Amino acid sequence: MQEAMIQVKKELGLDAVILHSRRVHKGGLFGFFAKESFEIMAATDSPALSSSEAKAVTSTPRYSVDHPKEAALQLEIANMRKMLEKVLDKIPETTKSSSPFFDVLVKNDIDEQIAENLIKGLPEQYLTADSDAAIVRQLLTERVSNYFKKVDGITIPSRGPRLVALVGPTGVGKTTTIAKLAANFALKEGCKVALLTADTYRISAVEQLKTYADIIGVPIEIIYTPDELKSAIYRHSDKNLVLIDTAGRSPRNNYQLAELQAFLEIDPYIETHLVLSATTKYKDAVDIVQKFSVCSPQKFLFTKMDEASNLGTVFNLLYTFTTPSSYITTGQNVPDDIELANPVKMANMILRD
Ligand SMILES: Nc1nc2c(ncn2[C@@H]2O[C@H](COP(=O)(O)OP(=O)(O)OP(=O)(O)O)[C@@H](O)[C@H]2O)c(=O)[nH]1
Ligand SMILES: [Mg+2]
Protein backbone atom coordinates (compact mmCIF):
# COMPACT_ATOMS: atom_id res chain seq x y z
CA MET A 1 0.00 0.00 0.00
CA GLN A 2 2.78 2.35 1.00
CA GLU A 3 4.58 1.61 -2.22
CA ALA A 4 1.44 2.44 -4.24
CA MET A 5 0.95 5.74 -2.35
CA ILE A 6 4.50 6.80 -3.16
CA GLN A 7 3.79 6.08 -6.81
CA VAL A 8 0.55 8.16 -6.71
CA LYS A 9 2.33 11.15 -5.18
CA LYS A 10 5.09 10.88 -7.71
CA GLU A 11 2.71 10.88 -10.66
CA LEU A 12 -0.11 13.20 -9.46
CA GLY A 13 1.62 15.37 -6.85
CA LEU A 14 0.91 16.04 -3.19
CA ASP A 15 -2.61 17.37 -3.87
CA ALA A 16 -3.79 14.06 -5.28
CA VAL A 17 -6.99 12.78 -3.74
CA ILE A 18 -7.49 9.09 -3.08
CA LEU A 19 -10.85 8.10 -4.48
CA HIS A 20 -10.73 4.43 -3.89
CA SER A 21 -8.32 1.77 -2.65
CA ARG A 22 -8.64 -1.96 -2.26
CA ARG A 23 -6.65 -5.11 -1.81
CA VAL A 24 -6.75 -7.42 -4.85
CA HIS A 25 -5.61 -10.96 -5.46
CA LYS A 26 -4.34 -11.87 -8.88
CA GLY A 27 -3.23 -15.10 -10.48
CA GLY A 28 -2.92 -18.38 -8.52
CA LEU A 29 -4.84 -21.63 -8.79
CA PHE A 30 -8.34 -22.02 -7.25
CA GLY A 31 -7.60 -19.07 -4.97
CA PHE A 32 -4.32 -20.51 -3.80
CA PHE A 33 -0.94 -18.98 -4.44
CA ALA A 34 -2.57 -15.73 -5.62
CA LYS A 35 -0.39 -12.62 -5.63
CA GLU A 36 -1.69 -9.87 -3.35
CA SER A 37 -1.56 -6.30 -4.61
CA PHE A 38 -3.15 -2.92 -3.93
CA GLU A 39 -5.27 -0.92 -6.29
CA ILE A 40 -5.54 2.85 -5.73
CA MET A 41 -7.62 5.25 -7.75
CA ALA A 42 -6.55 8.87 -7.38
CA ALA A 43 -7.28 12.18 -9.05
CA THR A 44 -6.19 15.81 -8.98
CA ASP A 45 -8.42 18.91 -8.89
CA SER A 46 -9.34 20.17 -12.36
CA PRO A 47 -8.44 23.72 -13.33
CA ALA A 48 -11.39 26.05 -14.34
CA LEU A 49 -12.83 24.90 -17.61
CA SER A 50 -13.62 27.09 -20.53
CA SER A 51 -15.80 25.68 -23.26
CA SER A 52 -12.91 25.75 -25.72
CA GLU A 53 -10.77 23.82 -23.26
CA ALA A 54 -13.53 21.40 -22.43
CA LYS A 55 -11.68 18.49 -24.00
CA ALA A 56 -8.77 19.11 -21.66
CA VAL A 57 -10.80 17.79 -18.75
CA THR A 58 -8.69 16.76 -15.81
CA SER A 59 -9.74 14.72 -12.82
CA THR A 60 -9.12 11.65 -14.90
CA PRO A 61 -7.53 8.79 -13.04
CA ARG A 62 -4.00 9.49 -14.02
CA TYR A 63 -2.83 6.61 -11.97
CA SER A 64 -4.27 3.43 -10.77
CA VAL A 65 -2.49 0.32 -9.85
CA ASP A 66 -3.55 -2.60 -12.06
CA HIS A 67 -5.65 -0.27 -14.39
CA PRO A 68 -9.16 -1.01 -13.08
CA LYS A 69 -11.21 -0.54 -16.21
CA GLU A 70 -14.60 -0.17 -14.55
CA ALA A 71 -13.49 2.52 -12.12
CA ALA A 72 -11.76 4.43 -14.88
CA LEU A 73 -14.95 4.32 -16.86
CA GLN A 74 -16.90 5.73 -13.93
CA LEU A 75 -14.46 8.57 -13.59
CA GLU A 76 -14.66 9.20 -17.28
CA ILE A 77 -18.45 9.46 -17.00
CA ALA A 78 -18.12 11.85 -14.05
CA ASN A 79 -15.78 13.99 -16.11
CA MET A 80 -18.12 13.99 -19.05
CA ARG A 81 -20.98 15.05 -16.77
CA LYS A 82 -18.89 17.93 -15.44
CA MET A 83 -17.98 18.95 -18.94
CA LEU A 84 -21.62 18.83 -20.04
CA GLU A 85 -22.67 21.01 -17.10
CA LYS A 86 -20.04 23.56 -18.07
CA VAL A 87 -21.23 23.55 -21.66
CA LEU A 88 -24.90 23.89 -20.59
CA ASP A 89 -23.95 26.85 -18.40
CA LYS A 90 -22.63 28.56 -21.47
CA ILE A 91 -25.77 28.10 -23.57
CA PRO A 92 -27.45 31.51 -22.92
CA GLU A 93 -24.25 33.29 -24.00
CA THR A 94 -24.12 31.15 -27.09
CA THR A 95 -27.70 32.14 -27.95
CA LYS A 96 -26.85 35.80 -27.36
CA SER A 97 -23.99 35.90 -29.75
CA SER A 98 -25.24 33.44 -32.33
CA SER A 99 -28.39 35.26 -33.49
CA PRO A 100 -27.80 38.54 -35.30
CA PHE A 101 -31.36 39.48 -34.30
CA PHE A 102 -30.30 39.78 -30.68
CA ASP A 103 -28.26 42.86 -31.62
CA VAL A 104 -31.14 44.26 -33.68
CA LEU A 105 -33.51 43.95 -30.72
CA VAL A 106 -31.04 45.42 -28.24
CA LYS A 107 -30.24 48.28 -30.63
CA ASN A 108 -33.97 49.05 -30.56
CA ASP A 109 -33.73 49.26 -26.74
CA ILE A 110 -35.40 45.93 -26.07
CA ASP A 111 -34.26 44.80 -22.64
CA GLU A 112 -31.44 42.21 -23.02
CA GLN A 113 -33.24 39.55 -21.01
CA ILE A 114 -36.44 40.07 -23.01
CA ALA A 115 -34.48 39.93 -26.31
CA GLU A 116 -32.91 36.69 -25.19
CA ASN A 117 -36.29 35.21 -24.25
CA LEU A 118 -37.76 36.20 -27.61
CA ILE A 119 -34.94 34.50 -29.51
CA LYS A 120 -34.89 31.45 -27.25
CA GLY A 121 -38.59 30.97 -27.95
CA LEU A 122 -37.88 30.36 -31.65
CA PRO A 123 -37.76 26.81 -33.00
CA GLU A 124 -34.34 25.34 -32.27
CA GLN A 125 -33.15 25.18 -35.88
CA TYR A 126 -33.35 29.01 -36.09
CA LEU A 127 -31.14 29.72 -33.10
CA THR A 128 -27.85 29.66 -34.97
CA ALA A 129 -26.01 32.54 -36.63
CA ASP A 130 -26.37 31.11 -40.14
CA SER A 131 -30.15 30.52 -39.94
CA ASP A 132 -32.18 31.92 -42.81
CA ALA A 133 -32.53 35.60 -41.78
CA ALA A 134 -35.82 36.13 -43.64
CA ILE A 135 -37.51 33.25 -41.84
CA VAL A 136 -36.13 34.29 -38.45
CA ARG A 137 -37.36 37.86 -39.07
CA GLN A 138 -40.80 36.54 -39.99
CA LEU A 139 -40.99 34.35 -36.87
CA LEU A 140 -39.78 37.15 -34.61
CA THR A 141 -42.24 39.61 -36.15
CA GLU A 142 -45.04 37.21 -35.27
CA ARG A 143 -43.77 36.80 -31.70
CA VAL A 144 -43.31 40.54 -31.19
CA SER A 145 -46.63 41.50 -32.79
CA ASN A 146 -48.45 39.15 -30.41
CA TYR A 147 -47.55 41.48 -27.55
CA PHE A 148 -48.80 44.50 -29.50
CA LYS A 149 -52.10 42.71 -30.08
CA LYS A 150 -53.14 43.57 -26.55
CA VAL A 151 -55.04 46.59 -27.84
CA ASP A 152 -58.18 47.71 -26.05
CA GLY A 153 -59.50 51.13 -27.00
CA ILE A 154 -62.51 52.95 -25.56
CA THR A 155 -65.85 51.32 -26.27
CA ILE A 156 -69.15 53.12 -25.86
CA PRO A 157 -71.73 51.17 -23.84
CA SER A 158 -75.26 50.90 -25.16
CA ARG A 159 -76.57 52.53 -21.98
CA GLY A 160 -75.04 55.11 -19.66
CA PRO A 161 -71.74 56.87 -20.12
CA ARG A 162 -68.27 55.36 -20.36
CA LEU A 163 -66.13 57.13 -17.75
CA VAL A 164 -62.48 57.47 -18.75
CA ALA A 165 -59.73 59.18 -16.71
CA LEU A 166 -56.22 59.82 -17.98
CA VAL A 167 -53.47 59.81 -15.35
CA GLY A 168 -49.71 59.98 -15.63
CA PRO A 169 -46.55 61.99 -15.06
CA THR A 170 -46.30 65.68 -16.02
CA GLY A 171 -46.19 66.77 -19.63
CA VAL A 172 -46.74 63.40 -21.28
CA GLY A 173 -49.73 64.63 -23.27
CA LYS A 174 -52.80 63.84 -21.15
CA THR A 175 -54.73 67.04 -21.93
CA THR A 176 -53.87 66.97 -25.64
CA THR A 177 -54.97 63.32 -25.80
CA ILE A 178 -58.27 64.13 -24.02
CA ALA A 179 -58.88 66.77 -26.68
CA LYS A 180 -58.11 64.29 -29.47
CA LEU A 181 -60.44 61.68 -27.95
CA ALA A 182 -63.22 64.22 -27.36
CA ALA A 183 -63.00 65.48 -30.95
CA ASN A 184 -62.97 61.99 -32.46
CA PHE A 185 -65.86 60.62 -30.41
CA ALA A 186 -67.97 63.79 -30.61
CA LEU A 187 -67.32 64.86 -34.20
CA LYS A 188 -66.53 61.61 -36.03
CA GLU A 189 -68.64 59.12 -34.09
CA GLY A 190 -71.46 61.48 -33.08
CA CYS A 191 -71.27 60.61 -29.37
CA LYS A 192 -72.42 62.90 -26.58
CA VAL A 193 -69.19 63.80 -24.78
CA ALA A 194 -68.47 65.80 -21.61
CA LEU A 195 -65.08 66.88 -20.27
CA LEU A 196 -64.17 67.13 -16.61
CA THR A 197 -60.85 68.44 -15.42
CA ALA A 198 -59.38 67.83 -12.01
CA ASP A 199 -56.21 69.70 -12.98
CA THR A 200 -56.65 72.89 -11.00
CA TYR A 201 -52.96 73.33 -10.25
CA ARG A 202 -52.29 75.53 -13.23
CA ILE A 203 -54.76 78.11 -14.52
CA SER A 204 -53.37 77.53 -17.99
CA ALA A 205 -54.28 73.83 -17.74
CA VAL A 206 -57.99 74.64 -17.35
CA GLU A 207 -57.78 77.26 -20.10
CA GLN A 208 -56.05 74.75 -22.40
CA LEU A 209 -58.86 72.20 -22.14
CA LYS A 210 -61.60 74.87 -22.16
CA THR A 211 -60.31 76.15 -25.50
CA TYR A 212 -60.53 72.64 -27.00
CA ALA A 213 -64.00 72.09 -25.44
CA ASP A 214 -65.27 75.32 -27.02
CA ILE A 215 -63.89 74.45 -30.47
CA ILE A 216 -65.28 70.89 -30.36
CA GLY A 217 -68.55 72.10 -28.81
CA VAL A 218 -68.67 69.89 -25.72
CA PRO A 219 -69.36 70.94 -22.09
CA ILE A 220 -66.51 71.19 -19.59
CA GLU A 221 -66.51 71.30 -15.79
CA ILE A 222 -63.76 72.03 -13.32
CA ILE A 223 -63.52 69.59 -10.39
CA TYR A 224 -61.88 70.48 -7.08
CA THR A 225 -62.84 67.57 -4.78
CA PRO A 226 -63.74 63.87 -5.11
CA ASP A 227 -67.34 64.74 -4.12
CA GLU A 228 -67.57 67.26 -6.93
CA LEU A 229 -66.38 64.57 -9.32
CA LYS A 230 -69.13 62.26 -8.09
CA SER A 231 -71.88 64.82 -8.63
CA ALA A 232 -70.47 65.88 -12.03
CA ILE A 233 -70.53 62.23 -13.20
CA TYR A 234 -74.13 62.02 -12.02
CA ARG A 235 -75.04 65.20 -13.88
CA HIS A 236 -73.58 63.79 -17.11
CA SER A 237 -75.30 60.41 -16.93
CA ASP A 238 -77.05 61.28 -20.23
CA LYS A 239 -73.67 61.33 -22.06
CA ASN A 240 -72.01 58.49 -23.98
CA LEU A 241 -68.51 59.41 -22.86
CA VAL A 242 -67.17 61.43 -19.94
CA LEU A 243 -63.45 62.18 -20.20
CA ILE A 244 -61.63 63.15 -16.99
CA ASP A 245 -58.35 65.05 -17.22
CA THR A 246 -56.02 64.99 -14.19
CA ALA A 247 -52.92 66.93 -13.18
CA GLY A 248 -49.54 65.44 -14.03
CA ARG A 249 -48.09 63.72 -10.98
CA SER A 250 -44.54 62.86 -10.07
CA PRO A 251 -44.15 59.12 -9.43
CA ARG A 252 -41.91 60.12 -6.50
CA ASN A 253 -44.62 62.09 -4.72
CA ASN A 254 -46.74 59.64 -2.73
CA TYR A 255 -48.98 62.39 -1.35
CA GLN A 256 -49.94 63.55 -4.87
CA LEU A 257 -50.58 59.96 -5.92
CA ALA A 258 -52.78 59.29 -2.88
CA GLU A 259 -54.77 62.44 -3.69
CA LEU A 260 -55.29 61.24 -7.26
CA GLN A 261 -56.30 57.80 -6.00
CA ALA A 262 -58.93 59.43 -3.73
CA PHE A 263 -60.50 61.12 -6.79
CA LEU A 264 -60.63 57.94 -8.86
CA GLU A 265 -61.98 55.76 -6.04
CA ILE A 266 -65.15 57.82 -5.98
CA ASP A 267 -66.62 55.72 -8.80
CA PRO A 268 -65.65 52.07 -9.45
CA TYR A 269 -66.73 52.42 -13.10
CA ILE A 270 -64.00 54.92 -13.96
CA GLU A 271 -61.73 53.31 -16.56
CA THR A 272 -58.24 54.64 -15.86
CA HIS A 273 -55.61 54.89 -18.61
CA LEU A 274 -51.99 55.42 -17.55
CA VAL A 275 -50.46 57.83 -20.08
CA LEU A 276 -46.80 57.10 -20.79
CA SER A 277 -44.49 58.82 -23.23
CA ALA A 278 -42.69 56.45 -25.61
CA THR A 279 -39.60 58.62 -25.10
CA THR A 280 -39.27 57.56 -21.44
CA LYS A 281 -36.39 55.26 -20.49
CA TYR A 282 -37.63 51.73 -19.78
CA LYS A 283 -36.39 51.72 -16.16
CA ASP A 284 -38.16 55.03 -15.43
CA ALA A 285 -41.30 53.74 -17.15
CA VAL A 286 -41.34 50.66 -14.88
CA ASP A 287 -41.02 52.97 -11.90
CA ILE A 288 -43.95 55.07 -13.16
CA VAL A 289 -46.09 51.95 -13.71
CA GLN A 290 -45.30 50.70 -10.22
CA LYS A 291 -45.99 54.03 -8.49
CA PHE A 292 -49.21 54.73 -10.42
CA SER A 293 -50.48 51.22 -9.65
CA VAL A 294 -52.23 52.80 -6.61
CA CYS A 295 -54.68 54.25 -9.17
CA SER A 296 -55.27 50.74 -10.62
CA PRO A 297 -54.96 51.72 -14.30
CA GLN A 298 -56.61 49.21 -16.63
CA LYS A 299 -54.82 50.38 -19.79
CA PHE A 300 -51.61 52.00 -21.01
CA LEU A 301 -51.87 54.89 -23.46
CA PHE A 302 -48.60 55.65 -25.25
CA THR A 303 -47.87 59.19 -26.44
CA LYS A 304 -45.09 60.85 -28.45
CA MET A 305 -44.48 57.82 -30.66
CA ASP A 306 -43.29 60.30 -33.28
CA GLU A 307 -40.56 61.63 -31.00
CA ALA A 308 -39.22 58.27 -29.79
CA SER A 309 -36.18 56.93 -31.65
CA ASN A 310 -37.54 53.40 -31.17
CA LEU A 311 -40.37 51.50 -29.51
CA GLY A 312 -38.16 49.67 -26.99
CA THR A 313 -39.88 51.07 -23.89
CA VAL A 314 -43.37 50.44 -25.29
CA PHE A 315 -42.57 46.83 -26.16
CA ASN A 316 -40.72 46.10 -22.90
CA LEU A 317 -43.74 47.32 -20.93
CA LEU A 318 -46.25 45.30 -22.95
CA TYR A 319 -44.00 42.25 -22.61
CA THR A 320 -43.55 42.70 -18.86
CA PHE A 321 -47.06 43.71 -17.78
CA THR A 322 -50.36 42.11 -18.72
CA THR A 323 -51.99 45.56 -19.13
CA PRO A 324 -53.27 46.20 -22.68
CA SER A 325 -52.63 49.44 -24.55
CA SER A 326 -55.54 51.66 -25.57
CA TYR A 327 -54.23 54.27 -28.00
CA ILE A 328 -50.96 55.56 -29.32
CA THR A 329 -50.46 59.21 -30.21
CA THR A 330 -48.15 60.28 -32.98
CA GLY A 331 -47.93 64.09 -32.87
CA GLN A 332 -49.33 67.36 -31.55
CA ASN A 333 -52.21 67.72 -34.01
CA VAL A 334 -55.71 67.60 -32.54
CA PRO A 335 -57.67 65.51 -33.46
CA ASP A 336 -55.66 63.56 -36.05
CA ASP A 337 -52.54 62.26 -34.29
CA ILE A 338 -54.11 59.38 -32.39
CA GLU A 339 -54.75 55.76 -33.40
CA LEU A 340 -55.22 52.23 -32.17
CA ALA A 341 -51.89 50.40 -32.29
CA ASN A 342 -51.26 48.32 -35.44
CA PRO A 343 -49.41 45.22 -34.11
CA VAL A 344 -47.56 44.28 -37.32
CA LYS A 345 -46.49 47.86 -38.05
CA MET A 346 -45.18 48.16 -34.48
CA ALA A 347 -43.37 44.80 -34.68
CA ASN A 348 -41.65 45.86 -37.92
CA MET A 349 -40.48 49.04 -36.20
CA ILE A 350 -39.05 46.96 -33.36
CA LEU A 351 -37.12 44.77 -35.82
CA ARG A 352 -35.75 47.49 -38.06
CA ASP A 353 -31.96 47.43 -38.46
N1 LIG B 1 -44.57 65.15 -30.45
C1 LIG B 1 -45.65 64.96 -29.72
N2 LIG B 1 -46.01 65.87 -28.81
C2 LIG B 1 -47.13 65.63 -28.09
C3 LIG B 1 -47.90 64.47 -28.25
N3 LIG B 1 -48.92 64.55 -27.36
C4 LIG B 1 -48.77 65.70 -26.70
N4 LIG B 1 -47.69 66.37 -27.12
C5 LIG B 1 -47.17 67.67 -26.67
O1 LIG B 1 -46.69 67.53 -25.35
C6 LIG B 1 -46.82 68.76 -24.65
C7 LIG B 1 -47.53 68.51 -23.34
O2 LIG B 1 -48.85 68.11 -23.63
P1 LIG B 1 -50.03 68.20 -22.57
O3 LIG B 1 -51.22 67.61 -23.21
O4 LIG B 1 -50.16 69.56 -22.01
O5 LIG B 1 -49.44 67.23 -21.46
P2 LIG B 1 -50.08 66.90 -20.04
O6 LIG B 1 -49.76 65.50 -19.75
O7 LIG B 1 -51.49 67.29 -20.00
O8 LIG B 1 -49.21 67.86 -19.10
P3 LIG B 1 -49.54 68.25 -17.58
O9 LIG B 1 -51.00 68.51 -17.48
O10 LIG B 1 -48.71 69.46 -17.32
O11 LIG B 1 -49.10 67.10 -16.74
C8 LIG B 1 -47.57 69.70 -25.58
O12 LIG B 1 -46.66 70.53 -26.23
C9 LIG B 1 -48.24 68.74 -26.58
O13 LIG B 1 -48.47 69.35 -27.84
C10 LIG B 1 -47.49 63.51 -29.24
O14 LIG B 1 -48.10 62.45 -29.45
N5 LIG B 1 -46.36 63.81 -29.94
MG1 LIG C 1 -52.58 68.51 -18.72
Side-chain angles (χ1 to χ4, degrees), residues 1 3 7-8 58 101 105 205 225 260 304 341 346 352:
M1 182 67 166
E3 203 180 303
Q7 247 178 300
V8 167
T58 54
F101 283 95
L105 291 168
T225 64
L260 184 59
K304 308 199 183 184
M346 310 265 281
R352 69 184 165 197

Side-chain angles (χ1 to χ4, degrees), residues 191-210:
C191 295
K192 283 164 86 178
V193 178
L195 301 184
L196 306 178
T197 178
D199 184 359
T200 52
Y201 287 79
R202 291 182 300 117
I203 296 176
S204 58
V206 176
E207 285 306 310
Q208 186 189 0
L209 198 57
K210 200 167 177 313

Side-chain angles (χ1 to χ4, degrees), residues 105-181:
L105 291 168
V106 171
K107 204 180 87 190
N108 279 292
D109 283 339
I110 302 293
D111 181 74
E112 283 200 7
Q113 189 58 54
I114 295 176
E116 227 173 284
N117 291 348
L118 284 171
I119 291 171
K120 262 199 267 175
L122 295 176
E124 221 168 286
Q125 66 265 37
Y126 298 115
L127 292 178
T128 60
D130 45 320
S131 314
D132 187 331
I135 299 177
V136 178
R137 180 177 284 276
Q138 170 73 23
L139 291 169
L140 270 179
T141 306
E142 269 168 38
R143 295 208 80 204
V144 169
S145 66
N146 276 339
Y147 292 94
F148 285 122
K149 279 184 190 149
K150 295 190 293 173
V151 178
D152 192 10
I154 295 170
T155 54
I156 302 298
S158 49
R159 278 171 39 161
R162 172 76 67 212
L163 310 172
V164 175
L166 299 195
V167 301
T170 56
V172 287
K174 297 176 294 298
T175 306
T176 313
T177 306
I178 291 251
K180 290 173 184 174
L181 290 169

Side-chain angles (χ1 to χ4, degrees), residues 164-182 195-199 201-202 205 208-209 212 243-251 256-257 260 264 272-277 288 292 301-304 329 331 334 338:
V164 175
L166 299 195
V167 301
T170 56
V172 287
K174 297 176 294 298
T175 306
T176 313
T177 306
I178 291 251
K180 290 173 184 174
L181 290 169
L195 301 184
L196 306 178
T197 178
D199 184 359
Y201 287 79
R202 291 182 300 117
Q208 186 189 0
L209 198 57
Y212 283 124
L243 295 164
I244 306 160
D245 193 13
T246 62
R249 299 295 159 119
S250 159
Q256 283 187 351
L257 289 171
L260 184 59
L264 300 171
T272 304
H273 297 217
L274 176 58
V275 183
L276 295 151
S277 168
I288 292 166
F292 275 86
L301 193 154
F302 294 106
T303 57
K304 308 199 183 184
T329 74
V334 178
I338 186 164

